[in-house]
């Protein structure tokens, strides 16, 4: 299958040791593709909402974080703070709170945890007072998701996590993130090795971007 060969190529390029190999079912054949590896990576990334139970190998996650902080930011302000969690008690604890706050979201078929069943979650925070923090952190997030995908690691942005994390009940978990003074959570990103099929891309509206002559 096409995606798997692409992933193996990219995984080899990353030359990381001690990490689990990607699943053969997610490969791409670059020889059949006319696109560059980067374009193929961008076009094949999908939001993944079902993951294998093992957390992302920390060596791979370190590379994902490094790619994140190499994103551009306004005047190199690097207006972000990223915290990665793979502790089951954290994930299960926040899930228990979410079940109280958003029972409908937690009653979906196949539900295991509130982070779209991911075993590893990155929390991204931005300064309260920054004109570019949200934009900077979006670029960081996309760098993280695309670099993860290049190593066979799925991801999904999770805005729905923020109100739960900001709730009174989740205060101990928010405190565990040890965010700098004057920062607030912007988004969480689920990470993990995909379980099952990679979904089709939801339709895009090409009319939203065009030249002015
Ligand atoms: C800021 C942001 C917040 C999102 N929040 C959620 C979320 O809470 N739950 C979820 O399942 N997906 C969430 N998504 C994922 C989007 O639904 C997804 O990116 C979109 O449907 C396009 O699909 P694709 O990522 O597979 O191309 C979020 C994406 C972004 C950028």
């Amino acid at each position: 299958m096409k995606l798997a060969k692409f992933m193996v190529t990219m995984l080899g390029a990353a030359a990381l040791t001690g990490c689990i190999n990607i699943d053969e079912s997610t490969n791409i054949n670059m020889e059949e593709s006319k696109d560059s590896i980067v374009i193929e990576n961008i076009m094949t990334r999908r939001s993944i909402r079902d993951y294998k139970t093992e957390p992302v190998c920390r060596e791979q996650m370190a590379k994902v974080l490094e790619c994140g902080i190499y994103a551009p930011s306004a005047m190199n302000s690097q207006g972000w703070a990223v915290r990665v969690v793979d502790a089951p008690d954290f994930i299960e604890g926040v899930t228990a709170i979410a079940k109280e706050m958003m029972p409908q979201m937690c009653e979906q078929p196949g539900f295991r945890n509130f982070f779209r069943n991911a075993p590893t979650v990155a929390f991204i925070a931005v300064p309260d007072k920054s004109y570019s923090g949200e934009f900077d952190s979006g670029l960081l997030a996309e760098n993280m998701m695309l670099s993860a995908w290049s190593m066979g690691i799925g991801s999904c942005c999770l805005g729905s996590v923020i109100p739960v994390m900001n709730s009174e009940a989740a205060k101990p978990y928010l405190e565990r993130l040890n965010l700098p003074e004057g920062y607030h959570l912007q988004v969480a990103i689920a990470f993990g090795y995909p379980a099952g099929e990679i979904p089709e891309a939801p339709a895009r509206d090409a009319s939203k971007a065009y030249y002015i002559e």
Side-chain angles (χ1 to χ4, degrees), residues 45-47 49 116 156-161 187 201-202 204:
R45 180 215 56 81
R46 295 276 69 77
S47 290
R49 298 184 175 90
R116 290 292 188 189
C156 186
C157 259
L158 297 174
S160 49
V161 162
V187 76
R204 263 42 175 195

Side-chain angles (χ1 to χ4, degrees), residues 57-99:
C57 167
R58 288 193 173 192
E59 195 183 359
Q60 288 180 317
M61 212 54 210
K63 182 56 75 177
V64 167
L65 287 170
E66 189 183 9
C67 289
I69 64 172
Y70 268 76
S73 63
M75 293 183 292
N76 196 29
S77 52
Q78 301 171 56
W80 48 58
V82 188
R83 303 289 182 265
V84 183
V85 174
D86 61 9
D89 76 294
F90 190 113
I91 288 171
E92 287 159 19
V94 176
T95 297
I97 295 164
K99 279 181 179 166

Side-chain angles (χ1 to χ4, degrees), residues 203-212:
R204 263 42 175 195
D205 179 357
S207 73
K208 285 184 179 277
Y210 55 86
Y211 268 99
I212 300 295

Side-chain angles (χ1 to χ4, degrees), residues 133-166:
E134 289 183 16
F135 193 83
D136 294 342
S137 67
L139 294 170
L140 162 110
E142 182 70 337
N143 267 19
M144 289 176 68
M145 291 190 289
L146 290 176
S147 59
W149 185 231
S150 78
M151 294 184 280
I153 300 161
S155 64
C156 186
C157 259
L158 297 174
S160 49
V161 162
I162 303 308
V164 174
M165 285 300 294
N166 287 335

